[in-house]
Amino acid sequence: MMRRCLGLKVTFYLLCSLASSRMQIFTIHALFVGPVLLIFPIMSTVQTTLVGEEEQGRMQGVLAACKVLATAVGDVCFGWLYKYSTHDGTDPHRTAVLPSLLLASSFA
């Protein structure tokens, strides 16, 4: 289940990058919002079964901290890659950002 959710998350980002209208974006979000949001509870459930009852709170804290740190670092890195690949936002082609999106998706 976790692999499927991860695969759907990558597919979600790729389809969003290829969408050409707002309606396509809304449709993609409507179809993929469930699997994309389910990845975090599934990971938490799997990881908490690996530790004892005394350490589950600590494990949840570590998972939450890793998620926040990854989000912060990912936003900064993707922003820099986006700026670099679109030449400070002046490139009118939407596909100019595709290499940086694929790189970011590969780490997802």
Side-chain angles (χ1 to χ4, degrees), residues 24-70:
Q24 288 177 349
I25 295 288
F26 290 135
T27 304
I28 292 167
H29 276 77
L31 292 174
F32 287 94
V33 72
V36 169
L37 293 178
L38 277 177
I39 191 75
F40 298 111
I42 290 172
M43 284 177 48
S44 295
T45 303
V46 169
Q47 300 236 342
T48 56
T49 58
L50 300 175
V51 297
E53 290 183 19
E54 303 84 26
E55 296 179 352
Q56 285 189 6
R58 186 178 304 155
M59 180 61 94
Q60 291 295 330
V62 168
L63 286 174
C66 288
K67 179 182 170 188
V68 168
L69 182 65

